[in-house]
Amino acid sequence: MNATTFRAQDMREALQKVKEKLGPDAVVLSTRSVREKGKGGLPTGPTMIEVTACASPTTEEGGGGSAAPPPKSESQPRRKASPSRPG
């Protein structure tokens, strides 16, 4: 899974960049507001949105994968536990 970071003026533009590069099923891993740092490490310029995303796991695996493992089948049905009786 390769994560890619995108910066834009607003969230709409950032998500548009994500979809263009990674496809409509891309998964957003994180978002944050950032400002470029100038001389002396002080923030300068406008606040931007930074989005880190990756392609959908099913897209990366050729469409056959799944994010969650399949449920395990039980060979025998479970029985309800009977309440214990004092005495």
Side-chain angles (χ1 to χ4, degrees), residues 33-59:
S33 297
V34 295
R35 289 180 72 182
E36 296 291 328
K37 292 187 180 179
K39 293 182 180 180
L42 297 174
T44 60
T47 301
M48 299 185 76
I49 301 297
E50 184 178 273
V51 175
T52 303
C54 67
S56 171
T58 57
T59 303

